[in-house]
Amino acid sequence: MLKNFSLAAVAALVVVACAQSPTGRNQIMLFDDKQLSTMGAQTFETMKAETPISKDARINDYVQCIASALLRVTPQEYLTNPWEVVVFDSEQVNAFALPGGKIGVYTGLLKVAENQEQLAAVVGHEIAHVMAGHSNERLSTNQFLQSALALGDAGTKAYGVKYQQEIMAMLGVGAQLGITLPFSRTHESEADIVGLDLMAKAGFEPRQAVNLWQNMAAASSNNTPQFLSSHPIPENRIAELRARMPEAMATFNERKKSGRLPACRK
């Protein structure tokens, strides 16, 4: 009886918390956006305290110029609070965006992103993660999986199932490979799509996104098979971008007609 009630409660929670991403994909969102924004801001403050911040005015202006151009075409609903952009002095080839309007760019990325368009592809990708609520969705998915595995553990124990511990370990691995990692790959692919649209609307030549990810692949020594990876392999990522390119180029060409294209310089 308790088991049936718990399953019903979890199912009801999932139904109530359904949402849609910017691409129209159904999502489960169990957490409050304000709470996640607070968590994002706290995490960002910790990072600023622990990681050196670049004092190079030229680099800061360059990154801010690109981020500002992208944010000007970001839907208004994601601009409730001013976004904060920080350049971290680190060799990491990375960037990130957090709920609450926080963007971090590592100086190491500037060695791989060769021009404003390529850096815009990365920053647009990270803004897209926030727009799509991927942090909320990932936390919600993990919460749901933990609840489901706890119920399975209780059920196998209650019925005296043989090899209970081994079965639960296999279920845990199955959840990781079958749900958590594919969800993460879905998030990355979705952020690529939404980010490509953002950069095109902002006036950054979208074909440079393909060049960026080619540079990323060349700089990476990661040969993890896709089914064991949280990110799509570069070949698949590039193929998806190319498939979306005609639409992105049409958007870019419309923007180009206005004659107002970004001119961010290092």
Side-chain angles (χ1 to χ4, degrees):
M1 183 69 176
L2 178 60
K3 178 183 171 186
N4 291 337
F5 174 78
S6 299
L7 287 170
V10 170
L13 187 60
V14 169
V15 170
V16 170
C18 280
Q20 278 197 335
S21 74
T23 63
R25 182 176 56 82
N26 291 329
Q27 298 173 289
I28 297 172
M29 302 290 208
L30 302 181
F31 295 89
D32 179 71
D33 285 340
K34 290 182 179 179
Q35 182 183 14
L36 286 177
S37 293
T38 299
M39 292 168 59
Q42 291 172 344
T43 299
F44 202 60
E45 290 303 313
T46 299
M47 294 185 70
K48 288 194 295 183
E50 296 178 351
T51 308
I53 295 175
S54 174
K55 296 180 181 179
D56 188 319
R58 180 178 51 86
I59 289 178
N60 276 277
D61 289 346
Y62 174 63
V63 173
Q64 184 66 60
C65 176
I66 292 168
S68 295
L70 290 163
L71 290 170
R72 279 195 290 272
V73 296
T74 299
Q76 190 61 40
E77 63 190 282
Y78 306 107
L79 304 176
T80 305
N81 299 309
W83 283 61
E84 181 181 3
V85 182
V86 173
V87 180
F88 293 99
D89 193 0
S90 168
E91 289 301 308
Q92 287 191 58
V93 181
N94 205 359
F96 64 88
L98 298 173
K102 309 296 181 182
I103 296 174
V105 175
Y106 295 98
T107 53
L109 176 62
L110 303 182
K111 298 177 182 178
V112 178
E114 297 174 341
N115 51 46
Q116 63 168 2
E117 286 79 15
Q118 291 183 20
L119 185 56
V122 181
V123 177
H125 171 98
E126 298 304 331
I127 293 172
H129 275 307
V130 175
M131 289 173 57
H134 289 159
S135 294
N136 193 334
E137 187 177 10
R138 192 167 300 181
L139 286 170
S140 300
T141 301
N142 289 340
Q143 181 68 42
F144 178 73
L145 285 175
Q146 288 175 15
S147 299
L149 289 172
L151 287 171
D153 185 55
T156 54
K157 285 179 179 177
Y159 287 95
V161 175
K162 195 174 182 180
Y163 305 120
Q164 187 267 343
Q165 291 185 343
E166 289 82 355
I167 291 172
M168 290 311 302
M170 289 171 62
L171 286 174
V173 172
Q176 175 75 359
L177 297 183
I179 299 176
T180 307
L181 291 179
F183 252 125
S184 189
R185 291 195 293 271
T186 296
H187 291 169
E188 291 301 315
S189 296
E190 189 166 57
D192 281 349
I193 294 167
V194 176
L196 188 69
D197 182 59
L198 275 181
M199 69 180 292
K201 287 178 177 176
F204 295 105
E205 220 276 18
R207 286 176 296 196
Q208 284 289 327
V210 171
N211 296 343
L212 177 279
W213 295 117
Q214 288 173 334
N215 293 349
M216 286 285 204
S220 173
S221 59
N222 181 11
N223 295 313
T224 304
Q226 178 162 332
F227 77 94
L228 290 176
S229 172
S230 63
H231 288 58
I233 59 175
E235 292 84 355
N236 290 356
R237 170 170 251 158
I238 289 169
E240 178 69 19
L241 286 170
R242 283 177 170 155
R244 302 276 178 170
M245 200 57 66
E247 183 179 351
M249 285 302 299
T251 299
F252 170 72
N253 287 330
E254 279 299 310
R255 172 62 187 261
K256 191 176 180 180
K257 288 179 184 177
S258 72
R260 297 177 294 104
L261 298 180
C264 305
R265 298 286 181 263
K266 288 185 184 179

